[in-house]
Structure formats: C-alpha cells, structure tokens
Amino acid sequence: MRILVIGGTWFLGKTIAEQALARGWAVTTFNRGRSGPDVEGVEPVRGDRTVRKDLTRLAGHGPWDAVIDTSSSDLAPLDVLLSTTALRAAAHRWVHISTVSVYEGWPHRALTDASPLLECPADADETYGYTGEDGSPTTYGFQKAGGERAVTDVFGNAAVLVRPGVILGPGEYVGRLPWWLSRAKRGGRIVAPAPAGQRIQPVDVRDVAEFALEQAASTGSGGYNVTHPEGITFADFLGECLAVTDSTGVPVWVEPNVLIEQGVKQWTELPLWRTHAGVWSVDSGRALAEGLRCRPVVETIRDTWAWLARDGRPVDHPRWAEHGIAPDREAKILASL
C-alpha cells in the first residue's frame, strides 16, 4: 500500500503514519513543517493545502492507493474541495477524518450512523453556518459537514468519512485528559461532575488510527461513527487518573445545576463534562461491524500518563489553555457546598 497522510506530524496524523510504516506501507506526508518533526521513514512533502500550485506539485509524488486527511479541522469546505479535486487523479480512495459535530442532532439526541446531517455546500467559505444560542449546532459542525460533501462529491463511493467523538491518548494536544491527570496529581478535594455513574465514550487515538488504515485498504464507503462502545463511568475515569498518578485526591461530586449556577463552562473548564442528553449517546455499530476495536479507556489513561511523564506536552496549541478550571474557581465552588 502507498498512502498519503495530509498532516502526519502530531497526534492522530503522526499515529497513522507510524502505524502505516509498521505495516510495511509506503507513506508520504504533506504539511507546512510547522507542527512537529516528521516521522522517521516517511517521504515528507512541504506545502500549503490551500494553495493550488502546492497541491499540483504534491500530486506529482503519487499515485497513492489512499489519502488519509487528518488536517481539515480548521479549513473551509472550499479548501477541502480544492484538495480533493487537485488530488483525485493521483489517489484511488480518500479517508476523511471528520467529527460527530456534523449531525444536526448532536449533542441533544442519541445518534446512529444514519442520523441526519447538517446542510452545507461543498464550496462554502469560512463564513457559512452559525452557532446556536445553547452552543449547538456550531459553525464548526456546518463547516465539517461541508468538508464531507467536498469529499463525497469528488470521490463518490471511494470516500470514507470517519466521525470520532472525543479522541484521547498519547500525544494529545487539546489537553482534556492531560488536565485531568495533572489535576489528579495535585490532589486535595477535586470538583467532579455528577452523576458519578455517567458513562463517557472517549476513543483512543491508536484505535482511530487503526480503523482509518483499515478503511484505506478496504472497499467500503460512507460514514462511520467512531466512539467507544462500552465507554467508562466518570467515577472510574477519575479513579484511574488518581491511581496512575499515585494521588490521595478525593473527588467531590457536584450536581450539574450547581456547576451551571457557578458559571462553569461545559466541555472546557471541566473537560469531558456536558449536560446535553446525546453527547455520550453515539452509536458506532457500523464501524464495529467493519472492524473497529477499542481498548479499555483505563489503558488510554495509563499510557497517556506514561507519555506525559516521558515526553511532556506536545507541540503548543491554543486549545490546551482552554481546558481546566482555575484553582481559585474550584476552591470557591467547594467552599459553597
């Protein structure tokens, strides 16, 4: 197999490149060279995917059996369309890393692979869409839906749309799990979002990478939700964070209405906490039937802590600073109980 990874130097893209090389595949990566070192063994090509002449030059390094696009999260649909049209003659398949945010019902309603999508044209620019008053739908979701349309319009039945929920694991640059681990290590009384039995569905970056590679080598098409089928309760999640960090911290389970009254920002100040009914009700049945395998979340937690202890945080990213509640804010909430 010969594949092109758009991105390929951090988190999911890096993991895909590493796993593809381990399979004995030939891997080309395409990026601007700003986010991290190249994985040893790839053929790196430098360029900007929003520049046509760079994409034309890239196409000359093909052909490839598949493209795996890991770097479209901040792109307008028209930029994804530019990439797919420029590379269509050089690639047999396109595996597009998307998101569950493309569904019109997320995060309010339970979702399946067949749930209705947000509407966005393939040639939309970055101004298309809107964010609702309650935070959903989002401009991001509309933009990603348009990116999916750009892929399917060009690649048709050779397009695969991988829709993860939350991805955690070694190399995470967003800072969700790293924050919980560092907070657990600090110890003391820890604000924890009730109910303790709430199940969450984060999936390991290595399992997403494996599934993307399997789809690159397959003949399937269409969209696949990629979330953990069993998940883990928040109590067990936080308990494992305390265990791996050898912490004596004590969770204090605070009811959602209290956190909301205190103005705690869902999804960021307490990472992975959100009260919407459908946020952790995403069915991945189609992906499971096609070979998705998810390791236990406790393994993800342990390996992420080992990575942080060994390598520290990944390349700088602005989203890292968004996550986690400030100690003084946490202390104020605890004192109010």
Side-chain angles (χ1 to χ4, degrees):
M1 283 282 293
R2 297 190 73 241
I3 66 168
L4 166 65
V5 180
I6 303 181
T9 59
W10 63 353
F11 201 35
L12 179 57
K14 178 182 179 183
T15 306
I16 288 172
E18 291 172 339
Q19 290 187 1
L21 290 169
R23 291 175 174 225
W25 294 6
V27 181
T28 302
T29 57
F30 179 66
N31 54 65
R32 294 173 298 178
R34 300 177 183 175
S35 300
D38 298 307
V39 173
E40 185 177 352
V42 305
E43 176 197 13
V45 180
R46 296 284 181 256
D48 187 330
R49 63 175 297 170
T50 66
V51 177
R52 186 178 297 276
K53 66 178 182 180
D54 287 0
L55 292 167
T56 301
R57 176 171 48 83
L58 171 63
H61 290 260
W64 299 282
D65 297 296
V67 174
I68 304 180
D69 185 0
T70 69
S71 71
S72 68
S73 60
D74 297 324
L75 291 182
L78 60 83
D79 291 320
V80 178
L81 184 62
L82 176 64
S83 300
T84 55
T85 53
L87 298 175
R88 184 62 184 98
H92 179 63
R93 292 173 62 73
W94 190 286
V95 179
H96 192 69
I97 307 302
S98 186
T99 170
V100 294
S101 295
V102 299
Y103 289 109
E104 66 177 33
W106 193 87
H108 297 284
R109 297 192 293 273
L111 299 173
T112 70
D113 299 287
S115 296
L117 303 175
L118 295 169
E119 290 290 336
C120 180
D123 59 353
D125 65 16
E126 68 279 359
T127 66
Y128 192 93
Y130 64 92
T131 296
E133 291 184 2
D134 68 344
S136 64
T138 62
T139 300
Y140 171 75
F142 281 103
Q143 294 278 307
K144 292 293 283 185
E148 287 192 359
R149 177 69 62 84
V151 174
T152 55
D153 280 359
V154 176
F155 277 81
N157 289 334
V160 177
L161 311 168
V162 178
R163 297 169 180 149
V166 171
I167 306 176
L168 303 178
E172 184 199 335
Y173 63 86
V174 175
R176 295 183 177 108
L177 178 51
W179 184 82
W180 277 113
L181 285 164
S182 64
R183 178 62 193 91
K185 181 66 175 177
R186 195 165 78 240
R189 298 172 73 220
I190 302 170
V191 167
Q198 170 67 57
R199 300 196 77 83
I200 59 177
Q201 295 178 286
V203 63
D204 192 288
V205 62
R206 295 162 292 186
D207 299 328
V208 180
E210 186 71 20
F211 183 72
L213 291 170
E214 287 297 315
Q215 291 308 303
S218 78
T219 58
S221 64
Y224 296 89
N225 296 336
V226 178
T227 55
H228 203 293
E230 290 87 28
I232 189 172
T233 65
F234 226 114
D236 288 342
F237 173 86
L238 186 49
E240 188 63 27
C241 288
L242 292 165
V244 300
T245 58
D246 295 321
S247 175
T248 58
V250 178
V252 179
W253 297 97
V254 183
E255 292 301 318
N257 64 301
V258 176
L259 295 173
I260 292 170
E261 288 171 1
Q262 292 286 343
V264 176
K265 294 179 182 177
Q266 299 187 43
W267 213 233
T268 53
E269 279 196 289
L270 287 180
L272 307 178
W273 169 64
R274 198 166 183 176
T275 57
H276 299 78
V279 68
W280 298 118
S281 297
V282 181
D283 180 77
S284 292
R286 187 164 188 254
L288 292 166
E290 290 296 319
L292 172 67
R293 296 293 178 267
C294 295
R295 70 196 68 206
V297 179
V298 293
E299 183 178 329
T300 302
I301 295 169
R302 294 166 189 164
D303 291 350
T304 301
W305 179 245
W307 161 71
L308 286 168
R310 182 179 66 250
D311 300 329
R313 60 184 289 181
V315 294
D316 287 332
H317 194 280
R319 294 183 68 184
W320 187 283
E322 296 176 358
H323 290 86
I325 190 167
D328 58 337
R329 287 261 289 149
E330 184 178 32
K332 180 180 176 182
I333 293 169
L334 291 168
S336 73
L337 300 178

